[in-house]
Amino acid sequence: MAKSKTPETKPNVGLFVTCLVDLVRPSIGFASVKLLEQAGCRVSVPRAQTCCGQPAYNSGDRPDARALALKTISAFEAYDYVVAPSGSCAGMLKHHYPELLGDDPGTAERARAFADKVHELISFLVDVRGVTRVKARYDGAVTYHDACAGLRELGVKAQPRQLLESVEGLKLLEMEDAEVCCGFGGTFSVKYPAISNAIVEKKTANIAASNAPCLLAGDLGCLMNMAGKLSREGRDIEVRHVAEVLAGMSGDPAIGEKQS
Amino acid sequence: MKPASRAFKTNATRALENEPLQRALRGIKYGFVANRAKARASLPEFDRLRDEARAIKEHTLAHLDLYLEEYESKVIEAGGQVHWAASADDAREAILKICRDAGARSVTKGKSMVGEEIAINEHLEAAGIKAIETDLGEYLIQIRGEPPSHIIAPAIHLTMDQVEADFRNIHKNLPPERILDEPGQLVAEARAVLRDGFLAADVGITGANLLIAETGSSVIVTNEGNGDLTQCLPRVHIVIASIEKAVPTLEDANTILRILARSATGQECSTYTTYSTGPKRPGDPDGPEEFHVVLLDNGRTEMLGGAFHDMLRCIRCGACMNHCPVYGAVGGHAYGWVYPGPMGAVLTPSLIGIDEAGHLPNASTFCGRCEAVCPMRIPLPKLMRHWRMREYEKGNTPARYRWGLKLWAFAARRPWLYHALTGLGASLLARFGKRRGRIRSLPMAGGWTRHRDLPAPQGKTFQQLWRAQEKAS
Amino acid sequence: MSGARKRQSVLEGIRAALGAGGSDKTRKETVRKRLKSPRANLVPERASKDRAGRLELFTGMLEGQGAKVSHAKGPGDVPEIVAAYLRDNNLPTDFRTGSDDLLAAIPWDKTPSLTRHRGRGKAGDGVTMSRARAAAAETGTLFLTSGGENPTTLNFLPDTHMVLIRADDILGSYEDAWNVLREVYGQRTLPRTVNLISGPSRTADINQTIVMGAHGPRRLHVIVVG
């Protein structure tokens, strides 16, 4: 599956779990570990990680965002790669840390060096580890939402589709406007709930119109937003992180489904 | 125009319930957005042109004083006059004085966002001078007393029925039994009515998309030709333009024009692009006898070289709003002033103050689509975030929210505390949502659960499970 | 504040923001050079076609924008093309032109049904005709210059605007067209108005539906000569 199988070249990957996956859906973390190990990586989960700091950063609270950025960098500096199952958090680490820490020569260099090692999970598998297919089975059709930060900050677009294509039994049905925002936007969804709702309503209509009984994406925040709306609308569509399906771990109850 | 940006949330709620507006907004995707994509696809050099256009503007801004002086000297050489205006007040005064000196009773206006910015119509009307908007969209909103809701399609929020009702109401001298069922009939009526206005006007005021230092020409682009009738018929032509519209040469203008229409309406080029240089020349049978340019600063110099410098590259194409999910949900009026959408969210606080316009840079999901389509590659989300930072530093962020952030950040900086709290939270929320796997209503999260369920956590945090697994192995 | 003081304050504000003094020699030299010998930026590949390719692109672009394009082998064919167009569209057979040489050299007498008036555009003009100095095939854009030869009002007041252009004047890019105008009018000099026209007047301000003939001509008929 992966290019490098020789144990001595196994890169050390620090998994940045993301605060949402940690709190809400650990199974995405385990799916990430599985995929990374299948791709020939040695995976560690530093205990000192919490949140990437995006809520503070996007609220204009630069001091707290800087403090969290420095904490995250310290926790992960030792690894060859830092991988996150989220385009949004990976984008924060990769693009916004250098900006946040750029005005101080002491931190600027550290942030840049750190940023070079950061990747979103699926694009890391394909672009860095050369994974072209996965060994997994999923019987049914899925549709895929391109979460904004992954798509526009990191260029995650073809990679998940390429890997999904290799999943046995899976059929990808594209929805209209897959690249349009779901309306989550982090704190936006609670600061401007009515607007966020109007945006996610358009998204769920497009999801339903794809006729796929399953929605996938690479960011848990967006997935929770869409899952929450789909279930409120009474639509019977299961919602999962793309890593769960690629790791062959779609046996667990989906996001927002009753735990067994 | 008195800003209503403080009422953004109320405005937005009203907009969400406005069905005709919602129908119009849904149309943007099939028009502007689809056409821009097509135009981009049919010009392989499009993205490289964007890079060049950005470089041209950056070069110009770095030499702005000099290019403006060059532009000015060429205008004067061609027989025109240049009036410098530091503020909106200065510009209004200068325009009114020119109109008074010309003994003007009626003025026609081409579409100009700077004209909206300085509210020139109200000022002229107050002085007893009739100002007629001639761009069809601008005319439609002028007769309703509304501000534009989009920078290139000012009346995009109106339906045909509303226009018909307005025309029957305003054009009282036309037979009431006339049929106005189709856009073509409405356009024909506006054409006939406005034609009289064109012929009677003493002064014509247009904006400018570009000011060319090489030749002293100002450039406008239109599809209707209204900007041309506005300037070739009256005795006096006034151009109102903000200082960042300058470019060095005709070649530089070409580059910007190549991306402007394609980004705006998705046309290969606008129907009319007009270069105006001074008043009519000896022997010219038509054209204005007097030519004036009012150069407006109104806050631009303060942006120059500062945190919002990039915004000065904006060429007012409207692509950012066409592609914005928030604009697409609430339309332009919700933003409460002249400039809506992402570009307005950055520019409006610069022009009327962040205290007045604080909502605008916050009302964004940071989806980044605006930056992705901006022909001038303006990092709009970054600039909006910068406004949020200014607000936070000023203490404008609501106290409850600020304290929430502080508490969260306090914990997030202390992994042991954070993990203890998240462990507790996960199990609590999981228990709360155990029956259905989701939570339908949650105290403190009303904004979320009013419209959607909250998927319940699986029960334990990843950190807990991972450590347990490590221990076991 | 006086006009001169306002000017001074805006310019000083800019210089302060840029951290530049007014006497900065390097900046002045940069600007002087750029204006003295304007340099083309990236020009789209599609503009560099041969004569036949340019003509085809020009025609396709204009027709795509709702204009009609006809081809005349020589000046002698123009009157019949004009007469046929006016007849087919049920339009008046008198039209107005300026004093342009190319228009004057057309043997209008050959077709007695046509009446040519001269002068600037007037309210109520049904049909006018102008001559374009140049055109850029890349977007099907005509370059019309103001003056007694081709008064600007002829371009905007009538219902139907006809434009004559010599096939040799159809160039590839905007850059090519501006260079022709620089030859005619001199460096750093333009006539009062240059109109770039790429189709009939149109609007989409009502219902996001395209309607022709918003304020300017409803019809644009381009006749390529040669």
Side-chain angles (χ1 to χ4, degrees):
Chain A
M1 283 175 36
K3 262 198 245 165
S4 64
K5 281 188 178 165
T6 37
E8 57 272 22
T9 64
K10 267 192 177 181
N12 284 315
V13 170
L15 180 68
F16 186 76
V17 185
T18 81
C19 59
L20 272 184
V21 167
D22 180 55
L23 179 75
V24 177
R25 201 160 169 86
S27 54
I28 299 170
F30 286 104
S32 307
V33 172
K34 185 173 171 189
L35 287 166
L36 288 167
E37 286 179 347
Q38 283 174 347
C41 305
R42 188 176 297 123
V43 183
S44 309
V45 180
R47 190 163 202 157
Q49 62 178 304
T50 59
C51 167
C52 66
Q54 215 175 156
Y57 183 56
N58 285 345
S59 301
D61 175 1
R62 226 173 145 90
D64 280 322
R66 280 176 64 107
L68 284 170
L70 287 170
K71 278 252 167 208
T72 306
I73 292 176
S74 308
F76 282 89
E77 241 163 355
Y79 298 96
D80 300 328
Y81 296 106
V82 183
V83 175
S86 154
S88 173
C89 309
M92 177 73 190
L93 270 53
K94 197 172 182 68
H95 293 306
H96 300 294
Y97 278 12
E99 201 254 283
L100 253 177
L101 302 170
D103 43 12
D104 175 347
T107 55
E109 189 39 50
R110 259 180 94 191
R112 243 195 323 275
F114 171 79
D116 285 345
K117 302 194 224 179
V118 173
H119 296 273
E120 179 276 338
L121 172 70
I122 311 298
S123 52
F124 176 74
L125 295 174
V126 174
D127 300 340
V128 179
R129 299 302 298 159
V131 177
T132 55
R133 41 187 309 109
V134 292
K135 207 167 170 182
R137 189 173 179 88
Y138 182 91
D139 289 305
V142 302
T143 192
Y144 183 85
H145 163 73
D146 295 287
C148 298
L151 174 70
R152 281 181 272 269
E153 289 186 357
L154 304 168
V156 180
K157 174 79 188 176
Q159 305 91 330
R161 287 175 174 78
Q162 185 191 342
L163 296 189
L164 283 171
E165 212 163 86
S166 73
V167 174
E168 253 182 281
L170 182 144
K171 190 175 171 213
L172 179 65
L173 300 175
E174 293 286 0
M175 70 173 104
E176 207 177 312
D177 289 342
E179 294 189 356
V180 174
C181 178
C182 74
F184 172 60
T187 52
F188 173 83
S189 58
V190 285
K191 280 202 277 186
Y192 298 94
I195 302 174
S196 175
N197 178 51
I199 301 173
V200 74
E201 269 178 353
K202 288 180 194 162
K203 180 53 74 177
T204 51
N206 281 325
I207 294 166
S210 78
N211 282 323
C214 173
L215 166 71
L216 304 178
D219 250 293
L220 183 55
C222 314
L223 286 164
M224 287 174 67
N225 178 42
M226 293 181 286
K229 190 67 199 176
L230 286 166
S231 83
R232 180 62 61 89
E233 290 174 330
R235 298 190 201 261
D236 189 18
I237 293 172
E238 72 170 55
V239 178
R240 294 185 180 281
H241 192 284
V242 64
E244 298 175 43
V245 171
L246 295 177
M249 290 168 66
S250 45
D252 291 343
I255 297 168
E257 256 179 27
K258 194 172 164 355
Q259 300 293 308
S260 44
Chain B
M1 177 193 168
K2 201 176 162 338
S5 306
R6 284 177 194 266
F8 175 78
K9 269 194 166 182
T10 327
N11 302 343
T13 310
R14 205 173 308 135
L16 289 168
E17 287 159 3
N18 180 343
E19 191 34 47
L21 169 68
Q22 291 300 321
R23 219 175 319 142
L25 292 172
R26 283 194 290 271
I28 293 178
K29 177 178 142 186
Y30 304 101
F32 290 151
V33 171
N35 291 336
R36 175 199 173 268
K38 248 185 267 169
R40 173 171 182 253
S42 70
L43 189 69
E45 295 90 349
F46 187 78
D47 286 338
R48 275 190 288 149
L49 287 165
R50 291 166 72 187
D51 295 334
E52 290 206 346
R54 173 177 55 185
I56 289 167
K57 270 283 182 179
E58 282 305 325
H59 166 84
T60 314
L61 290 172
H63 303 83
L64 187 60
D65 51 331
L66 303 173
Y67 282 120
L68 287 171
E69 285 176 322
E70 285 284 344
Y71 169 77
E72 179 191 38
S73 74
K74 293 305 285 185
V75 171
I76 293 169
E77 197 183 304
Q81 296 179 50
V82 177
H83 311 260
W84 298 73
S87 65
D89 265 338
D90 289 347
R92 283 189 290 256
E93 252 173 57
I95 293 171
L96 181 59
K97 179 162 190 316
I98 300 164
C99 292
R100 281 204 170 126
D101 290 351
R105 283 182 310 170
S106 129
V107 168
T108 43
K109 259 201 76 241
K111 194 175 144 24
S112 157
M113 289 311 296
V114 168
E116 297 286 345
E117 184 182 320
I118 66 169
I120 187 60
N121 292 357
E122 289 88 328
H123 194 70
L124 292 175
E125 300 274 350
I129 298 169
K130 191 174 163 197
I132 308 168
E133 290 288 352
T134 62
D135 170 81
L136 183 53
E138 288 282 345
Y139 178 67
L140 298 182
I141 58 168
Q142 185 185 32
I143 60 182
R144 295 174 71 86
E146 288 179 356
S149 72
H150 189 289
I151 60 171
I152 67 157
I156 197 161
H157 58 287
L158 296 179
T159 62
M160 223 167 65
D161 295 346
Q162 288 169 309
V163 176
E164 180 188 347
D166 290 338
F167 277 16
R168 292 195 186 281
N169 198 21
I170 296 280
H171 305 154
K172 287 258 197 271
N173 55 341
L174 295 172
E177 67 278 10
R178 69 193 189 280
I179 296 167
L180 294 172
D181 287 349
E182 289 168 22
Q185 293 160 335
L186 294 161
V187 172
E189 178 162 319
R191 175 187 172 104
V193 169
L194 285 166
R195 187 54 72 95
D196 295 338
F198 281 125
L199 294 164
D202 306 299
V203 174
I205 302 176
T206 65
N209 292 87
L210 300 161
L211 304 172
I212 302 176
E214 179 192 349
T215 55
S217 311
S218 53
V219 182
I220 58 166
V221 296
T222 77
N223 281 315
E224 299 181 357
N226 63 307
D228 291 287
L229 289 170
T230 297
Q231 60 175 281
C232 71
L233 295 172
R235 216 177 54 73
V236 178
H237 177 199
I238 304 173
V239 173
I240 164 86
S242 49
I243 52 174
E244 82 282 10
K245 296 287 187 290
V247 292
T249 64
L250 290 164
E251 277 75 2
D252 296 323
N254 292 346
T255 302
I256 291 172
L257 290 168
R258 282 188 177 109
I259 53 172
L260 174 58
R262 290 180 171 97
S263 299
T265 55
Q267 290 169 281
E268 295 273 345
C269 63
S270 301
T271 306
Y272 301 114
T273 304
T274 301
Y275 297 67
S276 314
T277 316
K280 70 195 266 191
R281 309 290 160 80
D284 281 1
D286 50 21
E289 283 158 33
E290 280 179 39
F291 179 74
H292 301 266
V293 180
V294 177
L295 279 180
L296 177 72
D297 181 342
N298 204 28
R300 270 80 176 171
T301 342
E302 276 146 59
M303 294 164 71
L304 195 65
F308 302 102
H309 171 95
D310 289 338
M311 195 59 214
L312 293 172
R313 291 201 301 271
C314 177
I315 54 172
R316 308 290 191 264
C317 70
C320 60
M321 56 199 76
N322 293 337
H323 291 79
C324 174
V326 175
Y327 179 93
V330 302
H333 284 164
Y335 292 78
W337 199 58
V338 173
Y339 300 101
M343 59 79 65
V346 175
L347 187 59
T348 304
S350 294
L351 300 182
I352 64 173
I354 189 63
D355 294 346
E356 197 69 57
H359 267 299
L360 309 190
N362 280 286
S364 164
T365 65
F366 283 163
C367 79
R369 216 171 164 215
C370 50
E371 181 177 358
V373 298
C374 174
M376 302 304 285
R377 301 200 189 277
I378 300 169
L380 291 155
K382 178 180 156 189
L383 301 183
M384 284 186 249
R385 192 183 290 110
H386 202 90
W387 274 123
R388 296 184 191 185
M389 206 182 84
R390 292 265 174 105
E391 280 192 292
Y392 190 86
E393 284 167 358
K394 276 185 83 172
N396 285 9
T397 316
R400 202 172 56 134
Y401 188 71
R402 212 182 163 82
W403 277 108
L405 260 181
K406 280 276 158 235
L407 280 174
W408 165 84
F410 180 85
R413 279 202 307 268
R414 292 164 180 78
W416 58 271
L417 172 64
Y418 183 84
H419 292 314
L421 289 172
T422 49
L424 210 69
S427 97
L428 214 75
L429 283 171
R431 224 170 302 157
F432 209 72
K434 194 169 176 196
R435 210 161 54 84
R436 298 167 188 269
R438 52 186 189 263
I439 298 160
R440 289 185 67 84
S441 159
L442 190 69
M444 317 267 293
W448 181 282
T449 54
R450 193 177 315 137
H451 300 291
R452 40 178 129 41
D453 298 339
L454 182 68
Q458 287 173 323
K460 289 238 180 336
T461 66
F462 181 78
Q463 288 282 355
Q464 288 173 326
L465 294 168
W466 184 258
R467 300 306 149 205
Q469 193 179 304
E470 269 183 339
K471 234 181 239 169
S473 63
Chain C
M1 235 196 292
S2 74
R5 293 252 315 273
K6 276 177 198 153
R7 175 181 187 278
Q8 202 54 28
S9 104
V10 173
L11 286 172
E12 272 166 14
I14 294 172
R15 283 178 193 129
L18 294 173
S23 60
D24 183 340
K25 267 198 188 139
T26 340
R27 292 171 72 242
K28 280 190 174 158
E29 188 53 23
T30 310
V31 167
R32 197 190 61 83
K33 269 197 201 144
R34 182 131 171 171
L35 296 181
K36 187 163 175 264
S37 32
R39 202 167 30 83
N41 305 303
L42 173 67
V43 175
E45 171 74 33
R46 70 155 79 142
S48 55
K49 295 182 188 302
D50 63 7
R51 191 175 188 273
R54 288 198 299 272
L55 200 60
E56 190 190 335
L57 181 61
F58 171 78
T59 306
M61 281 288 167
L62 268 170
E63 287 178 347
Q65 288 258 49
K68 158 114 179 120
V69 182
S70 304
H71 298 266
K73 284 212 178 69
D77 294 338
V78 173
E80 194 34 56
I81 290 173
V82 169
Y85 176 78
L86 298 178
R87 195 169 54 236
D88 292 349
N89 290 283
N90 239 341
L91 297 169
T93 52
D94 53 337
F95 60 96
R96 195 183 305 280
T97 77
S99 60
D100 186 87
D101 291 351
L102 183 63
L103 296 178
I106 308 276
W108 297 109
D109 314 346
K110 257 179 47 182
T111 314
S113 64
L114 296 175
T115 316
R116 177 178 169 232
H117 306 280
R118 302 270 287 272
R120 56 164 283 172
K122 292 196 168 51
D125 275 349
V127 184
T128 62
M129 180 180 278
S130 320
R131 179 243 182 127
R133 289 307 306 225
E138 66 167 296
T139 52
T141 299
L142 301 155
F143 284 58
L144 284 83
T145 50
S146 59
E149 301 81 13
N150 294 287
T152 305
T153 37
L154 294 179
N155 304 343
F156 296 99
L157 282 169
D159 266 10
T160 303
H161 187 210
M162 298 190 288
V163 178
L164 223 57
I165 181 160
R166 295 190 313 128
D168 290 341
D169 292 337
I170 298 174
L171 311 166
S173 65
Y174 287 54
E175 282 73 4
D176 297 337
W178 287 121
N179 283 334
V180 167
L181 296 196
R182 283 191 182 115
E183 271 167 38
V184 177
Y185 295 93
Q187 295 294 316
R188 298 197 67 177
T189 308
L190 287 179
R192 150 63 205 175
T193 308
V194 182
N195 290 125
L196 274 56
I197 301 182
S198 311
S201 158
R202 59 146 97 187
T203 183
D205 276 343
I206 297 179
N207 234 18
Q208 299 178 50
T209 309
I210 292 174
V211 175
M212 293 301 177
H215 286 298
R218 296 171 212 267
R219 289 174 218 86
L220 175 68
H221 182 201
V222 179
I223 303 167
V224 180
V225 186

